[in-house]
Amino acid sequence: MSHTCIRCVALAIALVLGVAATGENTGAFGPLALESRSRQPVISVPPTTKPPVIDGKIGYKEWTDATIHRAFINQRTGVQHDLTTELYLKYDDDALYVGVLIERPRSAREPKASYAKGKHKNIWWKDDNFELFMIPGERETHAKYCYVFVGNSKGAYSEMIKPVGQNPAVEWNGQWEYVARVSSRGNSDYSWPCWEAELRIPFSQFITLQKPAPGVVWELAFMNQQLTPVREPVTWSQAWSFRSRGYESLTMGRLRFVGEGFCIRQQRVGHIILRVPSSCLLGAGRPNVHAASLVPSARLRSSLSRMNFVRYGAEKSSA
């Protein structure tokens, strides 16, 4: 067997088995298959010396030093969502800055927003919203509370705080600075409807936290709560997947705060199709197959195809 064939077979096996060997006790996780693995998505969050103006307008210049994440899974279909969701993140000594851009279906350009700007008791799944769920530091040691924020396209929001673990929510009055608006992206030849939001989360409002600094890790779950025209939960991590534990899940993503250096900006996420030569398969002469057919689920077919690495505000593209 040639070296090329050996590499193809090894790659196919790695696709099937690559996430299996974490070496940890999986009994601590829920019944969801993905909860049996402790390897969760991680976003690096860079520092900024230019905090954005919180006006609901995600401008390129004021977010040029932020990490951007675009890989979101539609939990109803199990694959990458067809419409764009973008999450922008950066921080300074005082606050975490979050930008959100959500593309709308052309058949339902206007997101549902029945609640007016300001704080409301409960808007979860009553409008087209996004939700953030944060544990600001190591559980129990530095962070003893979970913080939840949900907002719509008019600037309406609700909040919740609960002790980590199986505990009920407690009274709290957060200090969120939040502005959102309906807009569109593109040019005169082609544009697409969306809504965007900006959120400033001051660290001073947290009861307990591990203040961001290079190497500090927070837990975070993000959901695009698309209600119209069809209810579709679109998420980054698997905290709200089928049979997962939601606010008690151990499958939340991670925010890793970094110092000066490179941050990652995903430009595009798409399908990577790898063909394995038939001569490399057991039983030569069988027709070519996609490597994706060798893995347990086609849900693994979505993968990063292009990233930009940004340093000190100067952008360098890498394919």
Side-chain angles (χ1 to χ4, degrees):
M1 184 181 290
S2 68
H3 290 297
T4 301
C5 294
I6 293 173
R7 284 196 296 269
C8 290
V9 172
L11 176 60
I13 294 172
L15 285 170
V16 179
L17 303 178
V19 298
T22 62
E24 295 188 18
N25 178 15
T26 60
F29 294 84
L32 180 71
L34 287 169
E35 285 197 332
S36 66
R37 308 290 179 246
S38 62
R39 295 169 64 179
Q40 304 306 328
V42 177
I43 294 179
S44 60
V45 184
T48 184
T49 57
K50 300 177 181 178
V53 177
I54 306 300
D55 56 6
K57 300 176 183 179
I58 299 178
Y60 173 81
K61 290 184 178 180
E62 65 179 354
W63 289 97
T64 190
D65 57 346
T67 284
I68 303 177
H69 188 76
R70 292 185 173 96
F72 292 92
I73 301 299
N74 184 332
Q75 294 297 335
R76 189 174 63 87
T77 63
V79 297
Q80 179 189 334
H81 192 43
D82 293 334
L83 301 175
T84 299
T85 298
E86 296 181 347
L87 178 63
Y88 298 70
L89 294 161
K90 60 181 182 177
Y91 76 101
D92 61 17
D93 289 339
D94 300 317
L96 174 67
Y97 301 95
V98 181
V100 177
L101 187 145
I102 296 174
E103 181 181 359
R104 291 291 301 165
R106 292 187 174 273
S107 60
R109 301 175 69 93
E110 290 287 330
K112 181 181 178 183
S114 55
Y115 288 84
K117 181 179 179 179
K119 182 178 176 179
H120 299 267
K121 184 176 181 180
N122 179 8
I123 68 170
W124 276 267
W125 285 110
K126 296 180 180 179
D127 281 336
D128 288 297
N129 302 319
F130 76 86
E131 180 174 357
L132 282 177
F133 170 39
M134 297 169 291
I135 300 179
E138 185 178 352
R139 296 189 185 214
E140 301 294 349
T141 304
H142 296 96
K144 298 183 179 181
Y145 293 90
C146 311
Y147 300 86
V148 186
F149 177 93
V150 57
N152 75 3
S153 60
K154 284 185 178 179
Y157 70 92
S158 295
E159 63 179 358
M160 181 175 68
I161 178 176
K162 64 187 296 293
V164 172
Q166 299 180 358
N167 299 296
V170 297
E171 291 292 329
W172 188 61
N173 187 23
Q175 301 169 16
W176 315 93
E177 187 177 347
Y178 178 63
V179 180
R181 67 172 188 143
V182 177
S183 62
S184 64
R185 288 297 175 102
N187 52 44
S188 58
D189 296 325
Y190 177 79
S191 64
W192 42 275
C194 65
W195 67 279
E196 51 191 319
E198 291 179 315
L199 174 65
R200 180 179 183 271
I201 305 174
F203 302 137
S204 60
Q205 70 173 328
F206 294 120
I207 299 173
T208 58
L209 87 158
Q210 190 172 7
K211 190 172 181 179
V216 169
V217 176
W218 286 15
E219 295 184 47
L220 180 136
F222 175 92
M223 182 195 297
N224 167 7
Q225 294 183 354
Q226 181 180 303
L227 188 63
T228 62
V230 178
R231 178 179 172 130
E232 291 183 327
V234 181
T235 70
W236 168 49
S237 68
Q238 299 298 322
W240 290 296
S241 298
F242 174 68
R243 296 185 67 189
S244 67
R245 300 177 181 179
Y247 295 141
E248 299 170 13
S249 176
L250 298 180
T251 65
M252 294 175 64
R254 303 294 190 266
L255 298 185
R256 180 176 292 277
F257 295 92
V258 298
E260 294 183 347
F262 290 97
C263 64
I264 297 174
R265 307 182 69 192
Q266 288 184 339
Q267 293 299 310
R268 187 169 59 249
V269 175
H271 297 162
I272 293 179
I273 298 176
L274 174 66
R275 293 185 179 275
V276 180
S278 59
S279 59
C280 295
L281 299 175
L282 294 178
R286 293 169 64 180
N288 291 359
V289 298
H290 293 159
S293 67
L294 300 178
V295 301
S297 170
R299 297 178 183 183
L300 299 181
R301 65 186 180 182
S302 295
S303 184
L304 179 65
S305 59
R306 184 185 173 207
M307 295 188 297
N308 275 9
F309 297 89
V310 182
R311 187 173 190 177
Y312 308 125
E315 190 170 296
K316 178 181 178 182
S317 179
S318 174

